[in-house]
Amino acid sequence: MARPFQITTNVARVLRALVDDPTGQHYGFGLMKATDLKSGALYPILARLEAAEWIEGHREVIDETQAGRPARRYYTLSADGVVHARQALAELHQAVGYRGLPGPPQPAGGVT
Amino acid sequence: VSALKWVGGLLLAWVVLEMLKNLVLVETATRLERIPYAILRLARRRLPVEHRKTIHDQEWLPELVVIVRETEGLPITRLVRGVLYSIGLLFVASRVSKIRAVAPLAPKSRRRRKRIKMIEALTYAGLLAGAVVALPWPLFEAAALAALGASAAMWAARSGLTLNGRMARFAVAGGCNLLAIWIVLVGMNVEIIEAYTLPFAVLALAAGLYEDRKRPYLGSWLAFGPGLVAGISPSLAVALVDQNPPVARPTLLISIALVVIALGMLRQQRALVVLGSAQLVIAVSSALLAAELGWLLAVMVVATSLLSGIAWRLGVLDHNLQRVRTSLARMR
């Protein structure tokens, strides 16, 4: 099935962070830390994922005066999003021939 | 004694210098803290007006507050992190807003879209059949048409529509409500139609405010336009035609126009300001013409044109002055 966007390395990083906690509430700053992406790279990806309905945006319900800060926006993976994200990551792994982490490096020329 | 004076003087100078140093430090720290917010405000200006609230006010700004708060006591780290966060968004602001603008149009699954279309068609068919059956009874006919209009407006506001589809549904909604109001007015021989149209306009305004809050992607024209036009245009049409209007009509029309303009200015909604201004111009003109004060209307038109011309000319001069200043600054 054609995807509404390309699964680039950065998109895969975001998907990985989301799939690691599929029911969690993901905030922009938290995702920046988890993916090591800058805001300029992260927010367009989040907008694309939301446009494709893989994630859903919600506003935090807090007493802003008591919290001393404005309510933040967080994202959760949608039911379809979990399936699509896992499938996309699996396809990506398959495309690069990923078979788990490599073992320790072997010395060149073998052991005498 | 002179040595004591020297010591005293030095102490005083030290105290004053310490105070000055602290003041400068606080001033510098405060100004540095504002830099990330200032950059983020620039990013906000790159967003379309209808997206500023949802993207900047509700998402980017709260995150910046959290980033700044997390690095409390580390002024340089805070500055660097805040500036990096804001600068990143400054460069992608327009891209994010473009993606978000398409968000409500995101394709849904084919089966779900089919089901929604079928439910919508059934709703229209049922209400249209009701309107046809109610033809001999004007009041019921008006009620059926109003229900049809309200239903079209509700369908128009949902996400996942193209702009044309949304506009068409809003047009149907406005037309049906206009027709319903007209049937009530003709069928009941109403003397002061504002008794019916203006409450509808207030309702349309409240509905527009709700829609604007719940579905900001609609924009002010779609949220307020159809309801206000349907609510106000019958009164305006009658006001233009009626040679002997009741005293209450111009007062009511002008009052509600002023309320609409004030609301538009407060909420920075272009549709409200434009529609309110149009209503105000028509209401004032018809009131002046009815009072045989056409000359006053002519004076007002000339004065407005002159003022607009002067304002435009001053704007051009100011723009030229800014260009000269920028050029001079570059020369240094």
Side-chain angles (χ1 to χ4, degrees), chain A residues 39, chain B residues 36-37 39-40 43 64 81-91:
Chain A
S39 57
Chain B
Y37 291 100
I39 297 170
L40 202 62
L64 179 59
R81 279 197 192 170
V83 166
L84 284 178
Y85 175 81
S86 301
I87 281 185
L89 296 176
L90 180 67
F91 287 112

Side-chain angles (χ1 to χ4, degrees), chain A residues 4 27-30 32-33 38-41 43-48 50-53 59 67-73 75, chain B residues 54 57-63 65-67 69-70 81 84-86 88-89 92 95-96 99-100 102-103 106-108 112:
Chain A
Y27 294 88
F29 185 41
M32 279 168 63
K33 285 202 277 192
K38 302 275 179 263
S39 57
Y43 281 97
I45 293 172
L46 288 178
R48 278 199 193 94
E50 195 180 14
E53 297 181 353
R59 267 197 97 196
R69 62 172 176 81
R72 297 164 75 189
R73 185 176 164 85
Y75 294 94
Chain B
T54 48
D57 301 1
Q58 294 182 355
E59 182 162 18
W60 293 352
L61 184 64
E63 289 303 307
V65 172
V66 172
I67 291 169
R69 190 176 280 190
E70 202 191 52
R81 279 197 192 170
L84 284 178
Y85 175 81
S86 301
L89 296 176
V92 296
R95 190 157 27 123
V96 170
I99 301 168
R100 279 281 180 89
V102 185
K108 293 200 163 58
R112 198 176 156 203

Side-chain angles (χ1 to χ4, degrees), chain B residues 232-248:
Chain B
I232 291 166
S233 53
S235 285
L236 288 179
V238 174
L240 281 175
V241 178
D242 199 355
Q243 297 296 324
N244 299 307
V247 185

Side-chain angles (χ1 to χ4, degrees), chain B residues 46-61:
Chain B
R46 297 196 66 201
L47 292 168
V49 178
E50 64 268 24
H51 285 159
R52 286 179 183 171
K53 192 175 164 191
T54 48
I55 297 179
H56 172 274
D57 301 1
Q58 294 182 355
E59 182 162 18
W60 293 352
L61 184 64

